[in-house]
């Protein structure tokens, strides 16, 4: 039953992730452009070029805001990672009696007494 729930959650997260790949790429590209525009804005000394960069930056910022729903895809990728991690989790093996020193001592003591 647990595997069925994990499979269902993983399938749903995979569908959401595949659906939002395009907006995620658009968000990434617009964030990178915004970063480089900001760096260029800090480097330049020309007032006209700064005004131009602010206008370009506002246009790219509107594109970035347009791609905000891509964060749902990022959350779906995280859920898919959690499902994968939970699916491959090894169950705790029962503690073997051979590793317990007291059990080994009792076995050896019983063999010694014979």
């Amino acid at each position: 039953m647990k595997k069925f729930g994990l499979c269902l959650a993983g399938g749903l997260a995979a569908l959401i992730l595949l659906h939002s790949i395009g907006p995620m790429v658009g968000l990434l590209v617009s964030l990178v452009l915004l970063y480089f525009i900001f760096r260029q804005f800090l480097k330049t000394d020309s007032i006209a070029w700064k005004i131009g960069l602010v206008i370009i930056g506002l246009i790219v910022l509107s594109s970035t805001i347009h791609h905000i729903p891509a964060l749902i895809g990022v959350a779906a990728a995280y859920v898919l990672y959690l499902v994968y991690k939970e699916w491959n989790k090894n169950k705790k093996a029962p503690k073997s009696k051979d590793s317990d020193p007291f059990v080994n001592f009792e076995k050896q003591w019983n063999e010694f007494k014979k």
Side-chain angles (χ1 to χ4, degrees):
M1 189 68 179
K2 184 177 179 182
K3 294 283 186 178
F4 177 72
L6 286 174
C7 187
L8 187 65
L12 186 61
L15 286 175
I16 292 171
L17 180 65
L18 287 175
H19 179 70
S20 63
I21 289 279
M24 286 172 59
V25 171
L27 179 66
L28 180 68
V29 168
S30 61
L31 285 175
V32 167
L33 281 174
L34 205 57
Y35 171 72
F36 284 120
I37 289 170
F38 181 71
R39 280 190 44 193
Q40 190 65 32
F41 176 80
L42 292 178
K43 283 185 199 177
T44 190
D45 292 330
S46 170
I47 299 294
W49 185 234
K50 281 191 177 195
I51 292 172
L53 284 174
V54 166
I55 293 171
I56 294 170
L58 289 175
I59 292 169
V60 174
L61 182 66
S62 69
S63 172
T64 304
I65 292 171
H66 174 72
H67 291 295
I68 288 297
L71 294 178
I72 295 171
V74 173
Y78 181 69
V79 167
L80 199 58
Y81 167 73
L82 290 177
V83 167
Y84 175 76
K85 195 167 105 174
E86 185 68 29
W87 189 281
N88 290 331
K89 185 190 284 186
N90 293 333
K91 298 190 186 233
K92 290 184 178 179
K95 196 172 184 181
S96 66
K97 294 182 180 182
D98 295 332
S99 65
D100 190 2
F102 297 109
V103 173
N104 286 334
F105 175 75
E106 290 177 8
K107 283 182 184 178
Q108 290 177 352
W109 183 255
N110 288 334
E111 289 175 6
F112 182 74
K113 284 168 81 177
K114 290 182 182 181

